[in-house]
Amino acid sequence: GLPEGLGNESGGCALLANLNGSIHAIGGYTNCYHSVWHPSNHTINMFKQYPIGNRSTKTSLYGHGLVQIESKNQLLILGGNSSMMFGGYLKDIWLCNVADKEMKWEKLKDLTMPHKMFYFGYVRLSDERYGNKVITFGGKTSSGLINEIWILDLDEWTWTKSTQKTPKKGMFYAVKTQYNDVHMFEINKF
């Protein structure tokens, strides 16, 4: 389970472990908070902010991508959904410098997702052969499931659409092995 203090509202959140020795949980079906658990001293800091927009009420953020950019000590949020019932598909990309104790999120103004989308698989590549990239696989948009593969260059901050496609249209989780093999797992939510 989640550490005490994160609670049930964190279901559907994106977790990222071991950035500066901390675990980051962002979003959930009933919240869009950014919580940081420090295992070394068993404390949780919850930043009650709304990284997906200027909202005055509690909302949700789920089905999004959460990527760490280790070399810059940053976190990146890609897309997601802000509504359990009304198709709040998001196209936003947000960046946070985790070295800043305030952990303020900044919406990238000149870069968005290729579509308003959520539940896309994604992997992070950072090596000499492939460069500094995030690759997304499939996902759900307002017009349905897609099988597109998109590549985000984190040095140039540009998207490129791959000529390859996922085996089928769908929502996915994706993991990358130490040998850069990518395995996709279909999400059967709807």
Side-chain angles (χ1 to χ4, degrees), residues 79-114:
N81 195 321
S82 64
S83 173
M84 292 294 288
M85 298 179 63
F86 302 109
Y89 308 139
L90 300 173
K91 196 172 186 173
D92 303 340
I93 297 178
W94 292 80
L95 192 64
C96 178
N97 181 354
V98 296
D100 177 9
K101 294 189 190 276
E102 304 267 325
M103 300 241 188
K104 297 210 182 214
W105 287 90
E106 178 184 339
K107 181 178 177 180
L108 300 184
K109 295 178 183 11
D110 298 327
L111 183 69
T112 62
M113 295 292 289

mmCIF file of all heavy atoms in Angstrom, residues 79-114:
data_model
loop_
_atom_site.group_PDB
_atom_site.id
_atom_site.type_symbol
_atom_site.label_atom_id
_atom_site.label_comp_id
_atom_site.label_asym_id
_atom_site.label_seq_id
_atom_site.Cartn_x
_atom_site.Cartn_y
_atom_site.Cartn_z
ATOM 1 N N GLY A 79 0.033 15.118 -20.413
ATOM 2 C CA GLY A 79 -1.376 14.795 -20.644
ATOM 3 C C GLY A 79 -2.131 14.380 -19.408
ATOM 4 O O GLY A 79 -1.918 14.900 -18.324
ATOM 5 N N GLY A 80 -3.037 13.411 -19.568
ATOM 6 C CA GLY A 80 -3.848 12.900 -18.472
ATOM 7 C C GLY A 80 -5.315 13.235 -18.663
ATOM 8 O O GLY A 80 -5.759 13.660 -19.732
ATOM 9 N N ASN A 81 -6.066 13.046 -17.588
ATOM 10 C CA ASN A 81 -7.496 13.311 -17.587
ATOM 11 C C ASN A 81 -7.849 13.980 -16.268
ATOM 12 O O ASN A 81 -7.348 13.592 -15.217
ATOM 13 C CB ASN A 81 -8.283 12.007 -17.749
ATOM 14 C CG ASN A 81 -9.725 12.238 -18.121
ATOM 15 O OD1 ASN A 81 -10.361 13.149 -17.630
ATOM 16 N ND2 ASN A 81 -10.252 11.391 -18.989
ATOM 17 N N SER A 82 -8.737 14.959 -16.325
ATOM 18 C CA SER A 82 -9.118 15.682 -15.110
ATOM 19 C C SER A 82 -10.570 15.458 -14.711
ATOM 20 O O SER A 82 -11.064 16.131 -13.824
ATOM 21 C CB SER A 82 -8.870 17.188 -15.290
ATOM 22 O OG SER A 82 -9.705 17.690 -16.315
ATOM 23 N N SER A 83 -11.255 14.511 -15.357
ATOM 24 C CA SER A 83 -12.658 14.284 -15.035
ATOM 25 C C SER A 83 -12.981 12.799 -15.144
ATOM 26 O O SER A 83 -12.659 12.163 -16.145
ATOM 27 C CB SER A 83 -13.562 15.066 -15.993
ATOM 28 O OG SER A 83 -14.913 14.727 -15.782
ATOM 29 N N MET A 84 -13.624 12.258 -14.123
ATOM 30 C CA MET A 84 -14.017 10.847 -14.162
ATOM 31 C C MET A 84 -15.230 10.623 -15.072
ATOM 32 O O MET A 84 -15.482 9.521 -15.497
ATOM 33 C CB MET A 84 -14.349 10.348 -12.757
ATOM 34 C CG MET A 84 -13.151 10.272 -11.834
ATOM 35 S SD MET A 84 -11.943 9.061 -12.339
ATOM 36 C CE MET A 84 -12.780 7.546 -11.954
ATOM 37 N N MET A 85 -15.990 11.687 -15.369
ATOM 38 C CA MET A 85 -17.235 11.489 -16.102
ATOM 39 C C MET A 85 -17.349 12.296 -17.393
ATOM 40 O O MET A 85 -18.099 11.933 -18.266
ATOM 41 C CB MET A 85 -18.411 11.854 -15.202
ATOM 42 C CG MET A 85 -18.507 10.977 -13.976
ATOM 43 S SD MET A 85 -19.875 11.435 -12.916
ATOM 44 C CE MET A 85 -21.264 11.130 -13.962
ATOM 45 N N PHE A 86 -16.625 13.401 -17.511
ATOM 46 C CA PHE A 86 -16.926 14.336 -18.585
ATOM 47 C C PHE A 86 -15.808 14.498 -19.604
ATOM 48 O O PHE A 86 -15.723 15.506 -20.283
ATOM 49 C CB PHE A 86 -17.307 15.701 -18.008
ATOM 50 C CG PHE A 86 -18.476 15.611 -17.075
ATOM 51 C CD1 PHE A 86 -18.297 15.781 -15.716
ATOM 52 C CD2 PHE A 86 -19.747 15.323 -17.556
ATOM 53 C CE1 PHE A 86 -19.374 15.689 -14.855
ATOM 54 C CE2 PHE A 86 -20.827 15.226 -16.702
ATOM 55 C CZ PHE A 86 -20.640 15.405 -15.343
ATOM 56 N N GLY A 87 -14.928 13.522 -19.730
ATOM 57 C CA GLY A 87 -13.912 13.562 -20.770
ATOM 58 C C GLY A 87 -12.964 14.732 -20.674
ATOM 59 O O GLY A 87 -12.738 15.426 -21.653
ATOM 60 N N GLY A 88 -12.381 14.961 -19.512
ATOM 61 C CA GLY A 88 -11.449 16.067 -19.311
ATOM 62 C C GLY A 88 -10.055 15.754 -19.821
ATOM 63 O O GLY A 88 -9.080 15.886 -19.089
ATOM 64 N N TYR A 89 -9.946 15.320 -21.065
ATOM 65 C CA TYR A 89 -8.653 14.942 -21.632
ATOM 66 C C TYR A 89 -7.744 16.164 -21.687
ATOM 67 O O TYR A 89 -8.172 17.238 -22.090
ATOM 68 C CB TYR A 89 -8.809 14.368 -23.040
ATOM 69 C CG TYR A 89 -9.813 13.252 -23.147
ATOM 70 C CD1 TYR A 89 -10.678 13.188 -24.222
ATOM 71 C CD2 TYR A 89 -9.907 12.258 -22.182
ATOM 72 C CE1 TYR A 89 -11.605 12.166 -24.347
ATOM 73 C CE2 TYR A 89 -10.831 11.232 -22.300
ATOM 74 C CZ TYR A 89 -11.670 11.194 -23.377
ATOM 75 O OH TYR A 89 -12.586 10.184 -23.484
ATOM 76 N N LEU A 90 -6.481 15.956 -21.321
ATOM 77 C CA LEU A 90 -5.543 17.071 -21.236
ATOM 78 C C LEU A 90 -4.452 16.966 -22.288
ATOM 79 O O LEU A 90 -3.971 15.887 -22.597
ATOM 80 C CB LEU A 90 -4.904 17.110 -19.843
ATOM 81 C CG LEU A 90 -5.890 17.276 -18.690
ATOM 82 C CD1 LEU A 90 -5.191 17.122 -17.353
ATOM 83 C CD2 LEU A 90 -6.589 18.620 -18.781
ATOM 84 N N LYS A 91 -4.030 18.119 -22.791
ATOM 85 C CA LYS A 91 -2.961 18.219 -23.770
ATOM 86 C C LYS A 91 -1.730 18.905 -23.165
ATOM 87 O O LYS A 91 -0.708 19.048 -23.808
ATOM 88 C CB LYS A 91 -3.491 19.024 -24.969
ATOM 89 C CG LYS A 91 -2.673 18.923 -26.208
ATOM 90 C CD LYS A 91 -3.378 19.579 -27.386
ATOM 91 C CE LYS A 91 -2.579 19.324 -28.634
ATOM 92 N NZ LYS A 91 -3.276 19.776 -29.829
ATOM 93 N N ASP A 92 -1.854 19.306 -21.911
ATOM 94 C CA ASP A 92 -0.812 20.092 -21.248
ATOM 95 C C ASP A 92 0.438 19.276 -20.945
ATOM 96 O O ASP A 92 0.370 18.070 -20.720
ATOM 97 C CB ASP A 92 -1.324 20.652 -19.912
ATOM 98 C CG ASP A 92 -2.569 21.492 -20.067
ATOM 99 O OD1 ASP A 92 -2.841 21.966 -21.179
ATOM 100 O OD2 ASP A 92 -3.263 21.675 -19.054
ATOM 101 N N ILE A 93 1.552 19.988 -20.879
ATOM 102 C CA ILE A 93 2.815 19.443 -20.387
ATOM 103 C C ILE A 93 3.312 20.400 -19.316
ATOM 104 O O ILE A 93 3.363 21.610 -19.522
ATOM 105 C CB ILE A 93 3.851 19.294 -21.525
ATOM 106 C CG1 ILE A 93 3.343 18.301 -22.572
ATOM 107 C CG2 ILE A 93 5.201 18.855 -20.954
ATOM 108 C CD1 ILE A 93 4.278 18.122 -23.754
ATOM 109 N N TRP A 94 3.655 19.828 -18.147
ATOM 110 C CA TRP A 94 4.076 20.618 -16.986
ATOM 111 C C TRP A 94 5.474 20.183 -16.551
ATOM 112 O O TRP A 94 5.813 19.002 -16.627
ATOM 113 C CB TRP A 94 3.100 20.419 -15.827
ATOM 114 C CG TRP A 94 1.756 21.009 -16.081
ATOM 115 C CD1 TRP A 94 0.750 20.466 -16.826
ATOM 116 C CD2 TRP A 94 1.278 22.258 -15.619
ATOM 117 N NE1 TRP A 94 -0.331 21.304 -16.838
ATOM 118 C CE2 TRP A 94 -0.043 22.405 -16.106
ATOM 119 C CE3 TRP A 94 1.822 23.262 -14.828
ATOM 120 C CZ2 TRP A 94 -0.814 23.528 -15.821
ATOM 121 C CZ3 TRP A 94 1.054 24.371 -14.542
ATOM 122 C CH2 TRP A 94 -0.248 24.499 -15.037
ATOM 123 N N LEU A 95 6.247 21.128 -16.034
ATOM 124 C CA LEU A 95 7.618 20.874 -15.604
ATOM 125 C C LEU A 95 7.805 21.400 -14.185
ATOM 126 O O LEU A 95 7.300 22.465 -13.841
ATOM 127 C CB LEU A 95 8.575 21.586 -16.566
ATOM 128 C CG LEU A 95 10.049 21.262 -16.494
ATOM 129 C CD1 LEU A 95 10.303 19.796 -16.851
ATOM 130 C CD2 LEU A 95 10.825 22.170 -17.439
ATOM 131 N N CYS A 96 8.532 20.635 -13.367
ATOM 132 C CA CYS A 96 8.797 21.025 -11.973
ATOM 133 C C CYS A 96 10.263 20.784 -11.651
ATOM 134 O O CYS A 96 10.789 19.702 -11.909
ATOM 135 C CB CYS A 96 7.928 20.202 -11.029
ATOM 136 S SG CYS A 96 8.203 20.536 -9.277
ATOM 137 N N ASN A 97 10.909 21.779 -11.076
ATOM 138 C CA ASN A 97 12.273 21.634 -10.590
ATOM 139 C C ASN A 97 12.193 21.136 -9.144
ATOM 140 O O ASN A 97 11.791 21.876 -8.263
ATOM 141 C CB ASN A 97 13.008 22.975 -10.667
ATOM 142 C CG ASN A 97 14.436 22.877 -10.200
ATOM 143 O OD1 ASN A 97 14.879 21.844 -9.700
ATOM 144 N ND2 ASN A 97 15.161 23.957 -10.360
ATOM 145 N N VAL A 98 12.562 19.871 -8.909
ATOM 146 C CA VAL A 98 12.393 19.303 -7.569
ATOM 147 C C VAL A 98 13.468 19.769 -6.595
ATOM 148 O O VAL A 98 13.341 19.533 -5.399
ATOM 149 C CB VAL A 98 12.314 17.759 -7.597
ATOM 150 C CG1 VAL A 98 11.094 17.309 -8.361
ATOM 151 C CG2 VAL A 98 13.561 17.145 -8.159
ATOM 152 N N ALA A 99 14.501 20.442 -7.088
ATOM 153 C CA ALA A 99 15.496 21.005 -6.176
ATOM 154 C C ALA A 99 14.914 22.215 -5.452
ATOM 155 O O ALA A 99 15.342 22.557 -4.352
ATOM 156 C CB ALA A 99 16.762 21.387 -6.938
ATOM 157 N N ASP A 100 13.919 22.853 -6.064
ATOM 158 C CA ASP A 100 13.232 23.987 -5.453
ATOM 159 C C ASP A 100 12.330 23.453 -4.346
ATOM 160 O O ASP A 100 11.452 22.634 -4.599
ATOM 161 C CB ASP A 100 12.413 24.704 -6.523
ATOM 162 C CG ASP A 100 11.597 25.873 -5.987
ATOM 163 O OD1 ASP A 100 11.782 26.242 -4.815
ATOM 164 O OD2 ASP A 100 10.782 26.397 -6.750
ATOM 165 N N LYS A 101 12.513 23.890 -3.128
ATOM 166 C CA LYS A 101 11.740 23.374 -1.994
ATOM 167 C C LYS A 101 10.238 23.647 -2.128
ATOM 168 O O LYS A 101 9.425 22.964 -1.543
ATOM 169 C CB LYS A 101 12.276 23.943 -0.686
ATOM 170 C CG LYS A 101 13.677 23.465 -0.394
ATOM 171 C CD LYS A 101 14.111 23.846 0.997
ATOM 172 C CE LYS A 101 15.575 23.577 1.178
ATOM 173 N NZ LYS A 101 15.931 22.280 1.532
ATOM 174 N N GLU A 102 9.866 24.637 -2.893
ATOM 175 C CA GLU A 102 8.453 24.960 -3.099
ATOM 176 C C GLU A 102 7.791 23.993 -4.077
ATOM 177 O O GLU A 102 6.584 23.868 -4.108
ATOM 178 C CB GLU A 102 8.317 26.385 -3.643
ATOM 179 C CG GLU A 102 8.964 27.420 -2.766
ATOM 180 C CD GLU A 102 7.985 28.015 -1.800
ATOM 181 O OE1 GLU A 102 6.822 28.168 -2.152
ATOM 182 O OE2 GLU A 102 8.415 28.326 -0.681
ATOM 183 N N MET A 103 8.562 23.343 -4.940
ATOM 184 C CA MET A 103 8.071 22.410 -5.964
ATOM 185 C C MET A 103 6.952 23.033 -6.789
ATOM 186 O O MET A 103 5.866 22.497 -6.915
ATOM 187 C CB MET A 103 7.601 21.103 -5.338
ATOM 188 C CG MET A 103 8.662 20.394 -4.604
ATOM 189 S SD MET A 103 8.973 18.805 -5.302
ATOM 190 C CE MET A 103 10.087 18.165 -4.071
ATOM 191 N N LYS A 104 7.217 24.160 -7.390
ATOM 192 C CA LYS A 104 6.223 24.836 -8.223
ATOM 193 C C LYS A 104 6.251 24.263 -9.631
ATOM 194 O O LYS A 104 7.294 24.066 -10.221
ATOM 195 C CB LYS A 104 6.501 26.326 -8.264
ATOM 196 C CG LYS A 104 6.384 26.927 -6.890
ATOM 197 C CD LYS A 104 5.943 28.330 -6.944
ATOM 198 C CE LYS A 104 5.932 28.796 -5.507
ATOM 199 N NZ LYS A 104 5.028 29.672 -5.127
ATOM 200 N N TRP A 105 5.069 24.009 -10.144
ATOM 201 C CA TRP A 105 4.907 23.482 -11.499
ATOM 202 C C TRP A 105 4.726 24.622 -12.477
ATOM 203 O O TRP A 105 4.033 25.594 -12.186
ATOM 204 C CB TRP A 105 3.701 22.550 -11.557
ATOM 205 C CG TRP A 105 3.973 21.253 -10.880
ATOM 206 C CD1 TRP A 105 3.760 20.954 -9.561
ATOM 207 C CD2 TRP A 105 4.536 20.095 -11.476
ATOM 208 N NE1 TRP A 105 4.144 19.669 -9.304
ATOM 209 C CE2 TRP A 105 4.628 19.116 -10.463
ATOM 210 C CE3 TRP A 105 4.958 19.779 -12.754
ATOM 211 C CZ2 TRP A 105 5.134 17.844 -10.710
ATOM 212 C CZ3 TRP A 105 5.461 18.511 -13.004
ATOM 213 C CH2 TRP A 105 5.540 17.561 -11.980
ATOM 214 N N GLU A 106 5.336 24.486 -13.655
ATOM 215 C CA GLU A 106 5.209 25.486 -14.700
ATOM 216 C C GLU A 106 4.676 24.805 -15.964
ATOM 217 O O GLU A 106 5.238 23.809 -16.427
ATOM 218 C CB GLU A 106 6.572 26.113 -14.988
ATOM 219 C CG GLU A 106 6.557 27.119 -16.091
ATOM 220 C CD GLU A 106 7.955 27.649 -16.402
ATOM 221 O OE1 GLU A 106 8.848 27.553 -15.551
ATOM 222 O OE2 GLU A 106 8.131 28.141 -17.518
ATOM 223 N N LYS A 107 3.604 25.349 -16.497
ATOM 224 C CA LYS A 107 3.046 24.815 -17.734
ATOM 225 C C LYS A 107 3.915 25.285 -18.896
ATOM 226 O O LYS A 107 4.207 26.477 -19.016
ATOM 227 C CB LYS A 107 1.612 25.308 -17.912
ATOM 228 C CG LYS A 107 0.932 24.787 -19.151
ATOM 229 C CD LYS A 107 -0.494 25.297 -19.210
ATOM 230 C CE LYS A 107 -1.173 24.848 -20.478
ATOM 231 N NZ LYS A 107 -2.549 25.349 -20.535
ATOM 232 N N LEU A 108 4.347 24.336 -19.736
ATOM 233 C CA LEU A 108 5.127 24.709 -20.903
ATOM 234 C C LEU A 108 4.197 25.378 -21.907
ATOM 235 O O LEU A 108 3.181 24.814 -22.296
ATOM 236 C CB LEU A 108 5.807 23.484 -21.514
ATOM 237 C CG LEU A 108 6.783 22.750 -20.584
ATOM 238 C CD1 LEU A 108 7.462 21.608 -21.328
ATOM 239 C CD2 LEU A 108 7.828 23.695 -20.015
ATOM 240 N N LYS A 109 4.538 26.568 -22.313
ATOM 241 C CA LYS A 109 3.660 27.351 -23.184
ATOM 242 C C LYS A 109 3.830 27.010 -24.660
ATOM 243 O O LYS A 109 2.892 27.113 -25.430
ATOM 244 C CB LYS A 109 3.914 28.834 -22.952
ATOM 245 C CG LYS A 109 3.528 29.286 -21.554
ATOM 246 C CD LYS A 109 3.836 30.748 -21.351
ATOM 247 C CE LYS A 109 3.559 31.296 -20.000
ATOM 248 N NZ LYS A 109 3.260 30.517 -18.925
ATOM 249 N N ASP A 110 5.024 26.616 -25.053
ATOM 250 C CA ASP A 110 5.302 26.372 -26.467
ATOM 251 C C ASP A 110 5.288 24.900 -26.845
ATOM 252 O O ASP A 110 5.682 24.551 -27.954
ATOM 253 C CB ASP A 110 6.665 26.969 -26.839
ATOM 254 C CG ASP A 110 6.687 28.475 -26.647
ATOM 255 O OD1 ASP A 110 5.643 29.114 -26.844
ATOM 256 O OD2 ASP A 110 7.754 29.010 -26.294
ATOM 257 N N LEU A 111 4.852 24.037 -25.924
ATOM 258 C CA LEU A 111 4.854 22.599 -26.200
ATOM 259 C C LEU A 111 3.641 21.957 -25.540
ATOM 260 O O LEU A 111 3.363 22.202 -24.365
ATOM 261 C CB LEU A 111 6.139 21.960 -25.656
ATOM 262 C CG LEU A 111 6.321 20.478 -25.926
ATOM 263 C CD1 LEU A 111 6.570 20.233 -27.414
ATOM 264 C CD2 LEU A 111 7.491 19.937 -25.117
ATOM 265 N N THR A 112 2.909 21.138 -26.306
ATOM 266 C CA THR A 112 1.775 20.387 -25.774
ATOM 267 C C THR A 112 1.888 18.950 -26.258
ATOM 268 O O THR A 112 2.749 18.620 -27.069
ATOM 269 C CB THR A 112 0.427 20.972 -26.258
ATOM 270 O OG1 THR A 112 0.361 20.863 -27.686
ATOM 271 C CG2 THR A 112 0.240 22.417 -25.819
ATOM 272 N N MET A 113 1.000 18.104 -25.774
ATOM 273 C CA MET A 113 0.920 16.731 -26.253
ATOM 274 C C MET A 113 0.439 16.731 -27.706
ATOM 275 O O MET A 113 -0.209 17.678 -28.137
ATOM 276 C CB MET A 113 -0.066 15.938 -25.392
ATOM 277 C CG MET A 113 0.347 15.760 -23.949
ATOM 278 S SD MET A 113 1.785 14.712 -23.781
ATOM 279 C CE MET A 113 1.095 13.118 -24.211
ATOM 280 N N PRO A 114 0.726 15.670 -28.472
ATOM 281 C CA PRO A 114 0.237 15.600 -29.849
ATOM 282 C C PRO A 114 -1.297 15.619 -29.935
ATOM 283 O O PRO A 114 -1.860 16.092 -30.908
ATOM 284 C CB PRO A 114 0.776 14.269 -30.363
ATOM 285 C CG PRO A 114 1.870 13.889 -29.437
ATOM 286 C CD PRO A 114 1.568 14.536 -28.122
#
